[in-house]
């Protein structure tokens, strides 16, 4: 009884600690810039949210940044998940030599800190004309998200009974048909879970966005928000907070719509 009470109190305290900064962001995002005195407000006093959002879109191109990032997240996430699914199928289902070695070679892409890739990527992109291009950004996001998607899909493929593969072989199915018609449909839950993780990571990326892009028609949304944050003297904190609030909505909605797949993905990675 006492242990349960302590646990409930801790959960409530953690929820309050999370809600306080969220509440401050929302309240101050609704505060008109002209009414902002530099001290965070704790309650709504006027409705300036739409004006602040419009200022964020006009000043730093947040709207174009959201469009750019949507392209990167959808295309990059889908391509990475499909490549990872094919690699998982090969390692787990097909009779390849040393599957454990292949698993570790691919999975080691998640071990090194991402900062170690910045300098060689910037140099390579500058020399190959990939710098500040949409296809260059998609390429780097695909490469960076394949290892984790492979990890999720590989764990799922390992749960598929061998009898499924043997039955397909008896029916005369080749490996490609087996992958497309049997294992991909079976793995749709794992594929969607991996895609949601990849979409969220790409959407929230700042590091590679500010390193590998410059022009407004390529720059991801988090990079445009960083540019907006550097404009405090002209737009004010409420505009930055309103922009951040709008930018966070897609991933929040995605989580609430597909939250059961987040739970499933956590089971797959355990």
């Amino acid at each position: 009884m006492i242990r349960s009470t302590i646990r409930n109190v801790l959960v409530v305290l953690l929820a309050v600690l999370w809600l306080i900064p969220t509440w401050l962001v929302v309240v101050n995002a609704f505060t008109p810039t002209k009414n902002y005195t530099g001290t965070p407000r704790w309650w709504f006093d006027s409705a300036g949210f739409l004006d602040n959002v419009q200022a964020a879109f006009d000043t730093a191109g947040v709207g174009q940044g959201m469009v750019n990032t949507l392209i990167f997240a959808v295309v990059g996430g889908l391509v990475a998940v499909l490549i990872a699914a094919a690699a998982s199928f090969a390692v787990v289902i097909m009779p390849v030599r040393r599957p454990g070695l292949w698993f570790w070679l691919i999975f080691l892409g998640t071990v090194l800190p991402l900062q170690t890739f910045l300098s060689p990527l910037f140099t390579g992109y500058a020399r190959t004309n990939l710098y500040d291009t949409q296809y260059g950004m998609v390429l780097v996001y695909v490469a960076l998200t394949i290892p984790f998607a492979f990890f999720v899909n590989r764990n799922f493929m390992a749960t598929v009974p061998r009898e499924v593969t043997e039955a397909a072989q008896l029916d005369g199915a080749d490996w490609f048909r087996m992958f497309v018609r049997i294992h991909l449909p079976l793995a749709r839950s794992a594929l969607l879970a991996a895609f949601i993780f990849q979409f969220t990571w790409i959407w929230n990326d700042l590091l590679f966005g500010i390193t590998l892009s410059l022009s407004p028609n390529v720059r991801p949304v988090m990079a445009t928000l960083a540019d907006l944050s550097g404009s405090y003297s002209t737009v004010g904190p409420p505009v930055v907070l309103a922009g951040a609030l709008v930018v966070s909505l897609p991933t929040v909605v995605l989580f609430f719509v597909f939250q059961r797949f987040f739970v499933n993905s956590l089971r797959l990675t355990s």
Side-chain angles (χ1 to χ4, degrees), residues 72 131-133 137 208-215 218-220 223:
F72 302 153
Y131 178 77
D132 199 31
T133 61
M137 295 301 299
F208 293 92
I210 62 176
T211 304
L212 302 177
S213 67
L214 185 62
S215 58
V218 177
R219 214 150 170 79

Side-chain angles (χ1 to χ4, degrees), residues 49-65:
F49 180 71
L50 294 180
D51 293 335
N52 292 337
V53 171
Q54 185 64 47
F57 276 54
D58 294 340
T59 303
V62 172
Q64 182 61 48

Side-chain angles (χ1 to χ4, degrees), residues 31 41 88 133 157 191 203 207 228 255 258:
T31 302
R41 296 174 180 263
S88 304
T133 61
M157 291 286 185
L191 293 172
W203 187 273
L207 198 60
L228 186 64
F255 171 77
F258 298 106

Side-chain angles (χ1 to χ4, degrees), residues 208-266:
F208 293 92
I210 62 176
T211 304
L212 302 177
S213 67
L214 185 62
S215 58
N217 62 330
V218 177
R219 214 150 170 79
V221 67
M222 290 302 165
T224 61
L225 268 185
D227 295 338
L228 186 64
S229 300
S231 305
Y232 268 170
S233 59
T234 57
V235 299
V239 174
V240 179
L241 294 176
L245 200 60
V246 171
V247 167
S248 67
L249 288 179
T251 51
V252 173
V253 172
L254 192 69
F255 171 77
F256 281 107
V257 173
F258 298 106
Q259 56 181 314
R260 68 187 182 92
F261 290 101
F262 276 94
V263 176
N264 290 341
S265 63
L266 291 176

Side-chain angles (χ1 to χ4, degrees), residues 168-190:
Q169 289 175 326
L170 289 175
D171 289 338
D174 56 22
W175 292 114
F176 180 78
R177 184 178 302 177
M178 210 181 303
F179 172 65
V180 173
R181 295 191 177 182
I182 299 176
H183 288 81
L184 275 185
L186 286 175
R188 60 181 178 271
S189 179

